[in-house]
Amino acid sequence: MAQQVTVSSKFQVVIPEAVRKQVPIRAGQRMVVQVRHGLITLVPVLSIEELQGMLQGVNTEGLREEEDRF
Protein backbone atom coordinates (compact mmCIF):
# COMPACT_ATOMS: atom_id res chain seq x y z
CA MET A 1 0.00 0.00 0.00
CA ALA A 2 1.37 3.42 -0.97
CA GLN A 3 2.00 5.94 1.80
CA GLN A 4 2.32 9.71 1.43
CA VAL A 5 5.00 11.67 3.26
CA THR A 6 5.87 15.37 3.39
CA VAL A 7 9.34 16.71 2.64
CA SER A 8 10.43 19.12 5.39
CA SER A 9 12.22 22.42 4.82
CA LYS A 10 15.46 20.49 5.53
CA PHE A 11 14.54 17.96 2.79
CA GLN A 12 13.84 15.25 5.36
CA VAL A 13 11.03 12.69 5.30
CA VAL A 14 9.66 10.35 7.97
CA ILE A 15 9.27 6.71 6.92
CA PRO A 16 5.75 5.72 8.03
CA GLU A 17 5.43 3.08 10.75
CA ALA A 18 3.52 0.73 8.43
CA VAL A 19 6.48 0.77 6.03
CA ARG A 20 9.07 0.38 8.82
CA LYS A 21 7.28 -2.76 10.02
CA GLN A 22 7.67 -4.36 6.57
CA VAL A 23 11.37 -3.57 6.04
CA PRO A 24 14.30 -4.46 8.33
CA ILE A 25 15.49 -0.91 9.09
CA ARG A 26 16.41 0.77 12.35
CA ALA A 27 17.10 4.32 13.56
CA GLY A 28 20.55 5.50 12.50
CA GLN A 29 20.87 2.91 9.74
CA ARG A 30 22.62 3.96 6.55
CA MET A 31 20.66 3.98 3.30
CA VAL A 32 21.69 4.08 -0.34
CA VAL A 33 19.68 6.63 -2.34
CA GLN A 34 19.13 5.69 -5.99
CA VAL A 35 17.42 7.77 -8.68
CA ARG A 36 16.24 6.03 -11.82
CA HIS A 37 13.74 7.35 -14.33
CA GLY A 38 12.72 10.12 -11.92
CA LEU A 39 11.97 7.76 -9.01
CA ILE A 40 13.83 7.89 -5.69
CA THR A 41 14.54 4.56 -4.01
CA LEU A 42 15.98 4.10 -0.50
CA VAL A 43 17.88 0.85 -0.03
CA PRO A 44 19.00 -0.17 3.49
CA VAL A 45 22.70 -0.98 3.84
CA LEU A 46 22.74 -4.39 5.51
CA SER A 47 25.53 -6.44 7.04
CA ILE A 48 26.56 -9.79 5.53
CA GLU A 49 24.75 -11.56 8.37
CA GLU A 50 21.51 -9.68 7.64
CA LEU A 51 21.77 -10.51 3.94
CA GLN A 52 22.21 -14.25 4.45
CA GLY A 53 19.32 -16.13 2.84
CA MET A 54 17.49 -12.96 1.80
CA LEU A 55 17.53 -13.65 -1.96
CA GLN A 56 16.56 -17.28 -1.82
CA GLY A 57 14.02 -17.96 -4.59
CA VAL A 58 13.92 -14.34 -5.85
CA ASN A 59 13.38 -13.75 -9.57
CA THR A 60 16.17 -11.37 -10.64
CA GLU A 61 14.89 -10.89 -14.18
CA GLY A 62 14.73 -7.19 -15.08
CA LEU A 63 16.32 -5.86 -11.86
CA ARG A 64 19.18 -4.12 -13.67
CA GLU A 65 19.36 -2.22 -16.89
CA GLU A 66 21.57 -3.83 -19.55
CA GLU A 67 24.10 -0.96 -19.32
CA ASP A 68 24.48 -1.55 -15.53
CA ARG A 69 25.98 -5.00 -16.09
CA PHE A 70 29.71 -5.67 -16.14
Side-chain angles (χ1 to χ4, degrees):
M1 178 168 82
Q3 299 275 324
Q4 287 189 3
V5 296
T6 301
V7 179
S8 76
S9 61
K10 294 182 179 184
F11 295 93
Q12 297 172 330
V13 296
V14 174
I15 301 171
E17 182 179 8
V19 174
R20 294 191 314 259
K21 287 182 176 182
Q22 296 177 49
V23 182
I25 60 174
R26 60 193 177 281
Q29 182 169 5
R30 299 186 62 82
M31 303 286 257
V32 174
V33 179
Q34 297 178 331
V35 179
R36 182 176 288 167
H37 307 293
L39 298 175
I40 299 169
T41 305
L42 296 174
V43 181
V45 176
L46 302 174
S47 68
I48 296 296
E49 292 79 19
E50 292 171 307
L51 291 170
Q52 186 176 0
M54 183 177 275
L55 297 178
Q56 207 167 16
V58 171
N59 179 5
T60 60
E61 187 70 30
L63 287 180
R64 297 188 307 187
E65 302 289 335
E66 190 67 33
E67 62 267 12
D68 291 342
R69 298 180 185 172
F70 292 103

